[in-house]
Amino acid sequence: MATPHISCIALIGKKARYPTSLNATLDVFSSRLPMKTNGDSDFGMLYAVDDTCALYGWLTNTGVKIVVAVESPVGGGGGGGGGGEVGVFRALQTAYIGLVCNPFFENDETRPITSRRFLAEVRRIAETWRPGAQAAP
Amino acid sequence: MALDSLSFITPARLRALVCPLGRIRRSRFSSFVRRLQAANVVRLGDVTPDSQVNRAMFSPQGFPDGQIMWDLTTSVDREHQYLETFEMHRRTFVVIAVADYDEECEPERMVAQLDEMKSLYPSALYHVCLIFDAPAEAVRHEKLKSDGHPRFLAVPTKRESKLTSMRTLMCDITAPVLSEMSAFAKSIQAMPTLESPLSPENRNPAGTRDRRNSVPTGGGLTPFGVDSMTNKRKTMGGFGGGSGGGGGASSPSERARIKGKGRVQVAIAQLHLIAGRVPDAVKEFVEGADVCRASNDHLWHGKALEGIGICLVLLANLGVQFQIPTIPYPTVEGSKSTKSSPAPSKPSTPIPTLVNGAEPGSPQQVMELLPELHKNIVNLYLRASNFSGESVPNISYCETILRHAKLLTSLYLSNGVARDAIAHVVFGTPIPHKGPRRNAPPRMEIEETAMRAYPQPVEIMTVLEATKVLSGIASVLGIIGMKRRKAFVTRELVRILIPGLIQARVVGAAEAGIHPAAGLSAISGGHGSPLDLGEGDVESGVMELLEELCRAYGVLPGLKGESFTEEEQRPSSSGTLMLKTSVWTKAVISEQEIRTFGWPALKIQVLRSCMALCEALPDFQGVLNFTTMLLRTADMELTREEQVRLSTTVSRTVGAARKLGIPGVEADYWDQFLLRDIELVENTTWRPPIAHNRSELMDPDMMMSPTSAIEAEKTPFIYNPFRESRTSAAEKILVKGEPAEFKVTLQNPFEFEVEVASVILDATGVDLEAHPASVVIAPFRTYQVSVFATPNGTGDVNISGCRIRVYGCKERFFPILTGGLDPRERDTKTKRFGLKAAEPRVDRPLSQVSASGRGSLRPPPVLHPIPKTLSLTVVHSQPLLVVKNTSLSQSALMVLEGERRIFQITLRNLSAVDVDLLVFSFTDSTTGRIQQALAEKSNTPAETYELELMLEKKRAFSWHRPRRHPASATPSPSPSPTSISAVLGSPRQPMRPKVSTQDLNKRKVYIPASGEATFEIEVLGKPGLTHGTIQVDYSHLGSSRSEVSSRFYTRQVIYPVTVTVNASIELARVDFIPFSTDFVLSSHSPSSAAPFKQLFDRIGVSDEQGEYCLMLMDLRNAWPQPLRVRLALSDAPHEPTAFEAEDILQAGHTSRIILPVKRIFLKNPYAQIPSISASQRQFVVSTTKISVEQERQSREAFWYREELLKRIAGSWEELGTERTGDIELRGIRLSPRMVETLRVEEVSVAVAVKEHAGAVQRVSPSKFVVATDRFLTLTATVTNRTARPVKPVLRLLPSMKDLPAPQAFELGRRLAVNGILQRGLDVLPPGESVVAETDFVVLAKGEYEVSASVEEVRGAAAAEEPVVVVETVDAEGRPLDVLGGRGGRRCWVCREVCLLVARDVAAAE
């Protein structure tokens, strides 16, 4: 419990399925969207749920939103401060692209993604992330 | 309306409690309160100042421009009494009792009640009673007068009051309050100090009531969720209470005194603020803040700063010139936030303008100052929380933050225009909308500010406080458009409300003596329950709040019915492009789209919370709404148990509401596809009528053959490309006044039973009296229910659906959706997502350019499902006939061949409508076979004619009608038994009572309403007849036939009849033999000639015997009884019978009957054989090749036979019984030889010897006895019976009798002829005859024969006649007959050879 860790990863499609608290982050997406210039998909910290949990957002160029909830114990140093998450988001987006590129994948955005491989990949990303770990590309 | 309790200027409001006094009705009370609240702002200049000097502290004259804002509430907040000294605006200063003059107003009682009120609310400064709708003198009663301030005030009625009267009244109330406030302020000033609200001293007296969780035990504020706040809090944690130090070292008691002075000053400042003396308030606040800062009294310091901010806003709103004072900001070492470092040495010095450009004291400047101020206030409060007993109460803290957030929100709404924002904050003036949002101040900033007020955890507050705070946050978030965040907060609010409400119910139920666990159902019984809501108690805002919450999660409330109706009448001005999509289709599709939006699990969760809240309230309608919404949005995701539970919830709620007598608690049914189909059921008894065109309404004479007329129209073309196809479905017809049955298919895809209370057809057009039906549909199936409806008018009716009432649900219209929703048809491109998907879709109008251009090439796709409509035609009331009885037993009869029998059929009219059109038509078992035979192509025309004749003319059944037109009928001879027509056509039976002569234009009633009529049907025994049907088409036209408009309708009654036909007289054989005249019919003729004599005696001619021939007929009796046979013969058609033969035939016997038939002349025996049915075939390709000669022969045979049949008629009669019938003579077949016998030639030659006395004796028509050696004359008479002139050549051929040919013509020495035997005659005109005479002398005795022949000379004829051009097509377009042109040489021979018997002596002797 000494280091912050990712406690939740959510991919939000266009057709909106969101867990209750993640729902609220969409307001932040929509309010910050006009300010975003081209190519900048990192939304930084969206919302601090409480002392120990903060939500970070990422918007892909196809409108899919990735929200990562980072849970850090009190006094752990404020969740990594922005740089650490970019790697996670890139990794997640790569995984998602891999999923969507699968011709057999039926992209029904109203249902949760059930691909086992993708879920395993997401789990791996979440488990291996550490605040300092900066993904190389 | 109530004021916004979280408005920024709430601390500047004067709080008053308005409560009822005496008897007063609720509606009257609330209307009075509204009148008061409308005048809640009082300008100080209008208030009369108090004359007493010691009470002039808050004299209105001190700041005439100031305003007092009354906060007139109807509730008192006892929970926060402990805050009243800290926040003066929470205090209830005035109690305004409201009495109704219309109710009883006894002065004594009112005084007593007011005194009671005084003791109830002792903390209030002034108690006054307003008597509404009272005349001015009502308060002049002695007992109502008081020495001090007036206690009773009269308020005129709304009609009598002037514009300012309410305002004057408020001024009247204000004046005493202000003077009483002076006293109050004095008492505060006298106190050494004021306790902080959470200090132990203050809590104890106030904490009499059990306040749950109202105060955090830890004394400090629980950390708030904002990250930056966390940081600040942490940094603040470093310095303790020793950070002040500004006040210098002095003794603790001195410090406490100074601290107390500061607190009192802040409280006084608050009173000034409430009293409208804003400049004084500013002054007091600033001074108080200075003192507080000096004494490190953070809590009161913050409160003072807050007061300064409010004062500045109020001043800015009043528009007076003022200087922004130097704000005594707290001195914080290391604080990054404070911009201006205040100088403690010169506290009241005005500082120069902070904002460049803006004048001092402008709203803009104030607004820019406030965030900074707010930040300091928050910091001060946080700092205060480090001291035990000195921390800020949670509710105050949250309200402070929310007030500021609201201010920012107003600024956001007014696009940063400070003046508008402040006006909105102070008075709630609507903000003019100006273009797009500038996002200033940024929404994120507002949101962060508001969220700071979010209590963490919620449980630190009471339910009431939490509700207030959370709803305040939600309101701010909603205004700035953060709907999902707002939903998040609202959901939390709902979550805490439910246990609170249930708790309240438990308490209430315990008081009422009901077990709290009884839940909703218990409430129905408990009339004494504190939660027993009246009609007006139900908070209307709750539903909106919950719906708003649901919408944010993608649960859309039910579509409003109004929204589609206006859509329907949309003009299609853009042209034909507007594809008509039904509104119901749109509704279904939009609902489906909504369903795909959002996360189902989340939606279910939210809806369940809403349901729980409504149940806790209890709000029956809300429970129903959310239950149905849950069923509607997530029927598939729910388990079976859950579905059943939801359905029981619905029925339970409806039942509870009904028991309570709350009307109109009904749900909206959740399945759009409830109604799957409606079909019209054909009734066997009430057979639907058949539509006919007017042209089918024939005149009555043709009604004998209606079947052929009702059949498809005749056309020579097999395929006509221009004919309108009649492939459309058969028109469905209802009859006015007759119930029709419909089969309605309902579906239930749920796991519980659906109880359909009523199903009523919904029809437009004609008034359709629908009889409701009800049904219970078992789970997971479709059900068909019969619904009856009776049309009450005529015309077209469209059934587009049903009004269906499911138990517990509203009666609603359901369209007929036979098809399902095809997801492929829908728009696959998601254009709207997120919150926008939930917003109502805006139809973009098609632009003219795109409509006329490319757009027209591709019409928009047809959207499914398309609701079905059932189009029916209602016709006038139609009669209904049934066959009552017939004269037949078991509807069977036996006839002999050729026999005609009549039977009666009685029809009964069951309806109340006359039958004025009645058509009989019949089918029988023979027609089928004949038609089959007719269809064969190998028939010769003669055969076809025969078959058609049997089909058309000799019908097995016919309506035996009385004569309709005796006057105009063909003048038939008197009905003598020998008349042919009597034998053939006319009935033998006595005439039935005659129906009076009816014209076509007159209406004739066949069967009156609910009457009976008997009709007679004639059956003709035909071979092959076994059964048949009588079909009666009848109708009620209501007018004469000529007036019938385009269409009419008939019904049918069909009555089958079984017929047995037995053979009677059979025609076995027919022959014709020439009748030679070569015998003498004289009285002395031999006895062997007697039969002939008898024969011709009957005829009565002896001269013209040569014109006759004999017909031999073999008739056989096939019937086991003896039959009398009678044959009648006439000389020409339509002439009286000339000859009759009669015979009795024993069973099985054959008899030959000889008939003298007059030979027949036909002008054109080679005419084409006609076709009766007139069904001209387009091309008749003769399959059998026959020669012209054969064709000629067959035609001759045909025409002579026809002629013969016209003259001969036969009948039979059973001996001893009345059975009679006709002999079928059409079996006669003529061979060429017979024809030859029968016919009379066109040109005939007859040879005779001219009478010469003494030399010639005529012994028979063609036998002459002549004397030899005498000059005699031979006459040859040539007769032309044709219609054209004939140029004949006559040839005489004398010969010897009884000699072989060569010797017979050797007449050189036996006969001398004067002239030549062969000579041409003159042209013989038609119909004339010429006699050519030739002299001759018989030289030798013996027997001679003279024959003659005539040959037509063509040359002569050709000269006169035009040459016949051979054409292939005649004038009428028909192919020319093969026999049209005349054949080759034509030659006629004399029929009887002239026989000369030459004797030497004169025969005459």
Side-chain angles (χ1 to χ4, degrees):
Chain A
M1 284 304 283
T3 52
H5 62 275
I6 293 175
S7 61
C8 169
I9 293 179
L11 265 80
I12 299 169
K14 278 182 200 167
K15 283 205 174 172
R17 53 194 156 80
Y18 11 94
T20 323
S21 56
L22 292 176
N23 176 20
T25 63
L26 294 182
D27 278 330
V28 186
F29 272 109
S30 59
S31 65
R32 282 194 197 160
L33 196 56
M35 294 182 280
K36 289 284 171 190
T37 49
N38 51 342
D40 187 8
S41 45
D42 187 10
F43 274 67
M45 196 192 80
L46 304 170
Y47 172 53
V49 180
D50 52 28
D51 266 359
T52 60
C53 184
L55 301 174
Y56 295 85
W58 185 271
L59 179 74
T60 71
N61 45 8
T62 55
V64 175
K65 301 169 188 79
I66 306 175
V67 175
V68 169
V70 177
E71 209 171 304
S72 60
V74 181
E85 290 80 19
V86 177
V88 179
F89 287 129
R90 287 205 198 288
L92 284 173
Q93 189 172 357
T94 310
Y96 182 68
I97 290 168
L99 171 77
V100 176
C101 287
N102 180 1
F104 297 101
F105 171 63
E106 201 173 318
N107 196 0
D108 181 7
E109 293 192 332
T110 60
R111 306 254 160 241
I113 298 168
T114 51
S115 161
R116 231 180 321 139
R117 199 168 154 191
F118 175 74
L119 294 180
E121 175 72 11
V122 170
R123 185 175 300 276
R124 191 191 60 77
I125 292 169
E127 282 168 357
T128 55
W129 180 79
R130 290 293 173 274
Q134 188 93 9
Chain B
M1 67 168 203
L3 294 169
D4 182 6
S5 65
L6 289 174
S7 166
F8 188 71
I9 52 122
T10 305
R13 286 182 188 149
L14 179 60
R15 191 180 177 91
L17 174 72
V18 185
C19 59
L21 186 85
R23 279 182 49 151
I24 185 164
R25 271 184 289 141
R26 181 194 298 273
S27 58
R28 299 268 293 172
F29 175 69
S30 47
S31 80
F32 297 151
V33 172
R34 271 199 296 278
R35 280 178 71 188
L36 275 179
Q37 281 173 343
N40 69 327
V41 177
V42 173
R43 195 173 158 269
L44 283 184
D46 298 339
V47 179
T48 322
D50 197 308
S51 50
Q52 296 176 32
V53 185
N54 60 340
R55 299 197 167 196
M57 188 179 198
F58 299 104
S59 168
Q61 283 170 317
F63 186 55
D65 289 337
Q67 290 167 330
I68 288 183
M69 273 158 288
W70 285 84
D71 182 11
L72 298 161
T73 66
T74 53
S75 63
V76 64
D77 180 12
R78 291 189 194 279
E79 200 173 333
H80 294 117
Q81 260 178 0
Y82 67 101
L83 284 173
E84 278 176 5
T85 47
F86 179 60
E87 291 178 330
M88 281 294 177
H89 66 275
R90 291 186 188 273
R91 191 183 178 91
T92 304
F93 287 95
V94 185
V95 173
I96 301 175
V98 170
D100 189 358
Y101 189 70
D102 290 351
E103 307 286 342
E104 44 151 357
C105 280
E106 286 175 37
E108 296 87 359
R109 284 188 66 173
M110 286 171 70
V111 169
Q113 280 171 338
L114 194 60
D115 288 340
E116 199 180 313
M117 203 78 82
K118 210 167 184 170
S119 59
L120 207 60
Y121 304 105
S123 62
L125 300 179
Y126 178 46
H127 301 77
V128 68
C129 176
L130 301 182
I131 306 172
F132 272 82
D133 291 0
E137 59 270 15
V139 291
R140 297 206 187 115
H141 196 277
E142 291 175 23
K143 291 179 179 159
L144 298 182
K145 289 199 172 149
S146 63
D147 39 355
H149 305 300
R151 296 182 67 198
F152 289 90
L153 291 170
V155 186
T157 59
K158 202 170 187 177
R159 210 184 319 157
E160 287 168 9
S161 56
K162 280 171 267 178
L163 200 67
T164 55
S165 56
M166 282 316 286
R167 211 176 288 167
T168 317
L169 183 80
M170 290 307 290
C171 290
D172 290 348
I173 301 172
T174 309
V177 173
L178 289 181
S179 56
E180 290 293 330
M181 268 171 86
S182 310
F184 178 62
K186 290 258 165 59
S187 72
I188 290 177
Q189 276 175 335
M191 291 162 86
T193 183
L194 294 173
E195 290 301 326
S196 294
L198 294 183
S199 65
E201 292 85 356
N202 193 26
R203 278 207 62 197
N204 286 341
T208 46
R209 275 179 76 98
D210 177 33
R211 255 185 264 112
R212 283 167 291 116
N213 294 332
S214 64
V215 181
T217 46
L221 275 169
T222 331
F224 286 80
V226 185
D227 205 46
S228 57
M229 287 299 297
T230 319
N231 292 339
K232 269 175 200 151
R233 185 180 47 76
K234 281 166 189 158
T235 55
M236 267 162 27
F239 62 89
S243 63
S250 48
S251 68
S253 60
E254 179 67 9
R255 276 228 304 267
R257 195 188 58 80
I258 295 171
K259 194 193 257 185
K261 184 177 165 260
R263 289 183 179 182
V264 168
Q265 203 156 17
V266 171
I268 297 297
Q270 286 186 17
L271 283 178
H272 272 113
L273 178 63
I274 289 169
R277 300 268 299 259
V278 186
D280 297 316
V282 173
K283 199 167 85 17
E284 294 280 338
F285 273 131
V286 170
E287 286 172 9
D290 270 337
V291 175
C292 288
R293 184 178 61 178
S295 60
N296 281 332
D297 196 356
H298 302 303
L299 180 63
W300 291 81
H301 186 193
K303 180 52 69 185
L305 291 187
E306 210 183 324
I308 292 171
I310 294 162
C311 290
L312 291 180
V313 167
L314 284 176
L315 284 173
N317 181 50
L318 288 171
V320 293
Q321 281 290 325
F322 70 100
Q323 285 292 322
I324 292 178
T326 306
I327 297 167
Y329 286 123
T331 51
V332 177
E333 57 267 45
S335 167
K336 301 140 279 183
S337 55
T338 35
K339 222 169 13 178
S340 64
S341 174
S345 51
K346 31 172 192 168
S348 298
T349 316
I351 56 163
T353 49
L354 290 167
V355 188
N356 40 352
E359 56 182 275
S362 72
Q364 197 65 40
Q365 198 187 359
V366 170
M367 290 307 278
E368 290 189 10
L369 185 69
L370 286 175
E372 180 73 28
L373 190 64
H374 177 72
K375 207 185 276 176
N376 280 301
I377 294 165
V378 170
N379 279 341
L380 277 174
Y381 283 160
L382 288 175
R383 216 187 286 177
S385 62
N386 290 320
F387 301 94
S388 105
E390 292 295 310
S391 60
V392 63
N394 280 326
I395 180 70
S396 296
Y397 177 76
C398 292
E399 282 189 4
T400 304
I401 292 174
L402 280 176
R403 281 199 289 269
H404 182 67
K406 283 250 173 172
L407 181 78
L408 292 181
T409 311
S410 297
L411 190 60
Y412 170 78
L413 282 182
S414 59
N415 272 350
V417 179
R419 189 175 301 278
D420 290 344
I422 285 177
H424 178 251
V425 163
V426 176
F427 294 126
T429 327
I431 296 170
H433 179 72
K434 283 176 196 159
R437 295 257 169 271
R438 274 177 49 209
N439 201 17
R443 287 163 60 195
M444 286 303 288
E445 195 179 291
I446 299 175
E447 187 247 335
E448 272 170 26
T449 310
M451 285 308 283
R452 242 173 252 176
Y454 192 84
Q456 290 273 355
V458 179
E459 284 73 28
I460 58 167
M461 288 186 168
T462 63
V463 174
L464 209 59
E465 287 169 348
T467 309
K468 193 172 183 186
V469 171
L470 289 182
S471 55
I473 296 173
S475 143
V476 170
L477 291 176
I479 292 170
I480 61 173
M482 295 210 164
K483 293 202 174 142
R484 284 164 287 212
R485 182 61 69 85
K486 178 192 171 188
F488 184 63
V489 174
T490 315
R491 201 165 157 274
E492 194 70 16
L493 174 64
V494 169
R495 210 170 56 79
I496 61 159
L497 273 179
I498 294 168
L501 286 165
I502 290 173
Q503 179 72 21
R505 181 129 57 96
V506 168
V507 172
E511 283 169 11
I514 300 166
H515 193 275
L520 195 63
S521 53
I523 290 168
S524 55
H527 281 284
S529 162
L531 284 175
D532 192 10
L533 298 175
E535 217 171 312
D537 289 339
V538 178
E539 200 64 48
S540 58
V542 174
M543 277 310 284
E544 283 158 29
L545 174 82
L546 295 180
E547 277 178 10
E548 184 74 33
L549 169 65
C550 293
R551 189 176 285 125
Y553 285 107
V555 185
L556 271 275
L559 294 148
K560 298 281 177 291
E562 303 89 288
S563 61
F564 333 86
T565 43
E566 47 115 10
E567 185 76 18
E568 207 163 12
Q569 273 98 42
R570 193 169 147 174
S572 58
S573 55
S574 56
T576 52
L577 245 188
M578 287 286 294
L579 203 77
K580 265 199 82 171
T581 310
S582 156
V583 286
W584 296 106
T585 312
K586 279 186 190 163
V588 167
I589 289 173
S590 63
E591 191 184 299
Q592 200 61 28
E593 279 177 357
I594 291 301
R595 272 174 84 134
T596 58
F597 165 76
W599 189 16
L602 204 60
K603 287 201 267 189
I604 292 171
Q605 224 174 334
V606 166
L607 283 171
R608 277 193 198 132
S609 324
C610 291
M611 265 171 64
L613 180 71
C614 289
E615 275 201 48
L617 271 177
D619 178 353
F620 298 121
Q621 189 63 54
V623 172
L624 288 183
N625 284 359
F626 289 110
T627 312
T628 52
M629 221 179 277
L630 190 50
L631 281 171
R632 190 193 295 258
T633 44
D635 49 356
M636 290 306 135
E637 279 85 0
L638 297 176
T639 60
R640 185 171 184 279
E641 290 73 26
E642 178 117 33
Q643 288 192 18
V644 172
R645 210 182 59 230
L646 289 175
S647 83
T648 35
T649 307
V650 170
S651 52
R652 189 162 47 92
T653 312
V654 172
R658 287 195 188 157
K659 260 189 227 166
L660 276 177
I662 302 176
V665 174
E666 281 171 327
D668 201 6
Y669 190 68
W670 40 86
D671 184 16
Q672 293 259 30
F673 289 89
L674 174 63
L675 178 63
R676 293 320 294 247
D677 205 358
I678 297 180
E679 285 169 357
L680 178 64
V681 180
E682 290 218 351
N683 196 326
T684 46
T685 317
W686 303 83
R687 199 179 278 268
I690 304 155
H692 301 288
N693 281 323
R694 183 172 184 244
S695 54
E696 290 173 28
L697 196 65
M698 310 130 294
D699 61 316
D701 295 331
M702 285 176 64
M703 262 166 45
M704 293 300 283
S705 59
T707 43
S708 58
I710 290 175
E711 277 166 16
E713 73 253 45
K714 292 176 178 112
T715 166
F717 299 107
I718 295 164
Y719 172 70
N720 183 356
F722 301 106
R723 188 168 61 186
E724 287 176 16
S725 64
R726 294 229 221 114
T727 49
S728 62
E731 191 181 15
K732 286 171 181 154
I733 293 166
L734 298 183
V735 179
K736 178 186 169 188
E738 286 179 12
E741 185 184 351
F742 294 89
K743 196 168 67 184
V744 174
T745 309
L746 302 173
Q747 77 161 16
N748 175 17
F750 301 101
E751 299 279 5
F752 49 84
E753 282 188 352
V754 171
E755 189 181 340
V756 179
S758 72
V759 179
I760 302 174
L761 292 179
D762 194 81
T764 53
V766 176
D767 174 28
L768 198 68
E769 186 191 330
H771 311 286
S774 64
V775 68
V776 174
I777 315 172
F780 222 77
R781 63 200 60 194
T782 60
Y783 194 89
Q784 289 186 334
V785 58
S786 285
V787 176
F788 291 88
T790 314
N792 286 333
T794 58
D796 289 333
V797 65
N798 270 321
I799 295 177
S800 50
C802 278
R803 275 177 292 126
I804 300 177
R805 226 181 95 87
V806 179
Y807 175 76
C809 296
K810 279 191 203 84
E811 187 176 79
R812 211 200 99 179
F813 173 80
F814 284 90
I816 312 170
L817 296 170
T818 49
L821 191 71
D822 192 350
R824 285 169 304 173
E825 303 273 343
R826 296 211 336 271
D827 201 1
T828 50
K829 290 175 190 161
T830 310
K831 297 234 170 132
R832 298 157 4 125
F833 50 91
L835 282 176
K836 281 184 188 142
E839 282 164 11
R841 178 181 291 234
V842 185
D843 266 355
R844 283 182 306 156
L846 275 176
S847 78
Q848 291 289 337
V849 177
S850 65
S852 57
R854 284 170 305 146
S856 59
L857 296 175
R858 234 188 65 200
V862 182
L863 295 170
H864 288 93
I866 299 167
K868 174 184 158 185
T869 50
L870 204 62
S871 297
L872 303 165
T873 308
V874 183
V875 299
H876 281 286
S877 300
Q878 290 296 323
L880 182 71
L881 296 184
V882 288
V883 178
K884 196 192 167 205
N885 57 16
T886 57
S887 59
L888 303 176
S889 64
Q890 297 179 340
S891 69
L893 81 165
M894 191 279 286
V895 287
L896 298 184
E897 255 177 50
E899 185 187 356
R900 284 174 194 272
R901 282 284 288 279
I902 287 175
F903 67 91
Q904 276 103 18
I905 180 166
T906 305
L907 298 175
R908 185 183 180 83
N909 189 351
L910 293 181
S911 64
V913 184
D914 299 338
V915 174
D916 56 4
L917 175 73
L918 191 78
V919 179
F920 277 97
S921 52
F922 308 94
T923 58
D924 59 70
S925 54
T926 59
T927 48
R929 254 182 291 165
I930 294 174
Q931 271 161 351
Q932 195 183 355
L934 267 175
E936 282 182 25
K937 288 203 173 114
S938 56
N939 289 335
T940 60
E943 284 166 350
T944 307
Y945 178 87
E946 199 67 26
L947 290 170
E948 283 176 348
L949 194 79
M950 270 157 68
L951 195 65
E952 301 287 333
K953 295 288 189 303
K954 295 224 164 184
R955 291 175 172 275
F957 294 94
S958 61
W959 180 17
H960 190 104
R961 284 195 300 172
R963 291 240 174 140
R964 297 278 308 282
H965 303 282
S968 62
T970 45
S972 62
S974 58
S976 67
T978 53
S979 152
I980 293 177
S981 62
V983 173
L984 279 177
S986 291
R988 297 244 178 98
Q989 272 71 25
M991 290 284 195
R992 273 157 309 284
K994 277 191 181 178
V995 184
S996 62
T997 309
Q998 297 275 343
D999 196 355
L1000 196 72
N1001 288 330
K1002 284 190 198 146
R1003 207 176 135 231
K1004 181 189 166 186
V1005 175
Y1006 290 92
I1007 308 173
S1010 40
E1012 285 179 18
T1014 303
F1015 298 90
E1016 297 192 326
I1017 308 294
E1018 192 177 71
V1019 184
L1020 169 66
K1022 277 170 81 174
L1025 178 66
T1026 55
H1027 59 266
T1029 53
I1030 300 165
Q1031 180 180 317
V1032 188
D1033 292 86
Y1034 58 93
S1035 176
H1036 172 79
L1037 297 177
S1039 58
S1040 65
R1041 293 180 183 207
S1042 55
E1043 289 165 12
V1044 167
S1045 57
S1046 57
R1047 292 174 80 75
F1048 68 100
Y1049 300 88
T1050 61
R1051 270 197 171 132
Q1052 279 185 349
V1053 172
I1054 290 176
Y1055 185 76
V1057 180
T1058 310
V1059 187
T1060 310
V1061 178
N1062 282 319
S1064 54
I1065 296 293
E1066 284 175 0
L1067 184 64
R1069 188 167 157 268
V1070 175
D1071 202 2
F1072 290 87
I1073 49 169
F1075 184 63
S1076 175
T1077 55
D1078 196 13
F1079 56 88
V1080 181
L1081 283 179
S1082 56
S1083 51
H1084 54 267
S1085 49
S1087 60
S1088 63
F1092 292 102
K1093 194 180 170 203
Q1094 185 195 358
L1095 205 62
F1096 284 93
D1097 277 349
R1098 288 244 187 109
I1099 301 172
V1101 284
S1102 55
D1103 242 9
E1104 305 285 332
Q1105 288 149 351
E1107 295 182 9
Y1108 286 84
C1109 66
L1110 290 182
M1111 182 180 182
L1112 307 180
M1113 251 181 178
D1114 289 353
L1115 295 175
R1116 183 175 168 272
N1117 179 8
W1119 180 241
Q1121 301 293 326
L1123 297 173
R1124 184 197 301 279
V1125 177
R1126 182 182 286 121
L1127 286 165
L1129 194 66
S1130 60
D1131 280 348
H1134 314 301
E1135 273 184 27
T1137 309
F1139 182 79
E1140 232 180 12
E1142 207 179 295
D1143 198 2
I1144 292 175
L1145 267 71
Q1146 293 301 323
H1149 281 241
T1150 306
S1151 168
R1152 173 165 293 182
I1153 293 173
I1154 300 169
L1155 297 169
V1157 178
K1158 192 169 185 187
R1159 286 167 55 221
I1160 297 163
F1161 171 73
L1162 284 180
K1163 277 200 175 124
N1164 183 13
Y1166 307 120
Q1168 265 197 317
I1169 296 171
S1171 173
I1172 292 175
S1173 66
S1175 60
Q1176 292 286 341
R1177 295 193 184 167
Q1178 208 165 357
F1179 296 107
V1180 181
V1181 181
S1182 203
T1183 49
T1184 52
K1185 287 285 175 198
I1186 51 168
S1187 66
V1188 174
E1189 194 52 41
Q1190 277 174 321
E1191 180 70 20
R1192 195 193 297 264
Q1193 278 176 5
S1194 74
R1195 286 191 187 184
E1196 260 179 357
F1198 175 81
W1199 285 113
Y1200 282 106
R1201 176 166 166 271
E1202 283 301 304
E1203 190 64 24
L1204 177 69
L1205 288 173
K1206 282 178 190 166
R1207 301 181 187 192
I1208 189 164
S1211 67
W1212 51 261
E1213 185 184 333
E1214 195 181 8
L1215 294 176
T1217 63
E1218 287 193 354
R1219 255 178 216 285
T1220 56
D1222 295 335
I1223 300 170
E1224 182 56 86
L1225 292 172
R1226 291 202 76 88
I1228 296 170
R1229 291 283 176 274
L1230 295 184
S1231 65
R1233 192 186 55 79
M1234 293 185 200
V1235 173
E1236 199 64 33
T1237 314
L1238 197 58
R1239 77 163 170 204
V1240 175
E1241 292 89 349
E1242 288 174 307
V1243 178
S1244 66
V1245 178
V1247 183
V1249 179
K1250 205 172 185 179
E1251 297 277 351
H1252 196 280
V1256 176
Q1257 187 193 358
R1258 189 171 188 171
V1259 290
S1260 80
S1262 60
K1263 192 172 180 181
F1264 300 90
V1265 178
V1266 297
T1268 51
D1269 299 336
R1270 294 285 291 270
F1271 284 99
L1272 302 171
T1273 308
L1274 197 65
T1275 60
T1277 312
V1278 179
T1279 310
N1280 180 10
R1281 290 194 180 86
T1282 63
R1284 58 195 163 84
V1286 171
K1287 167 88 179 156
V1289 173
L1290 176 70
R1291 291 197 189 91
L1292 295 171
L1293 192 63
S1295 64
M1296 290 288 290
K1297 197 171 177 269
D1298 300 333
L1299 277 178
Q1303 287 96 342
F1305 296 107
E1306 288 178 4
L1307 293 173
R1309 285 186 290 178
R1310 296 181 183 160
L1311 190 74
V1313 177
N1314 180 22
I1316 53 172
L1317 290 173
Q1318 178 173 315
R1319 62 174 180 174
L1321 301 176
D1322 289 339
V1323 172
L1324 197 57
E1328 292 192 7
S1329 55
V1330 67
V1331 178
E1333 293 186 348
T1334 311
D1335 295 337
F1336 72 98
V1337 177
V1338 181
L1339 300 175
K1341 64 179 180 186
E1343 288 188 351
Y1344 299 90
E1345 282 176 339
V1346 179
S1347 175
S1349 70
V1350 174
E1351 190 173 349
E1352 189 180 357
V1353 181
R1354 296 187 58 82
E1360 293 177 21
E1361 285 182 60
V1363 179
V1364 179
V1365 182
V1366 180
E1367 293 171 1
T1368 52
V1369 175
D1370 71 353
E1372 285 173 25
R1374 279 188 292 249
L1376 207 62
D1377 190 11
V1378 284
L1379 299 180
R1382 261 166 232 109
R1385 242 178 65 161
R1386 304 190 66 185
C1387 180
W1388 296 274
V1389 188
C1390 70
R1391 200 172 169 82
E1392 269 188 281
V1393 178
C1394 180
L1395 185 66
L1396 303 177
V1397 178
R1399 294 179 184 169
D1400 286 341
V1401 287
E1405 286 85 3

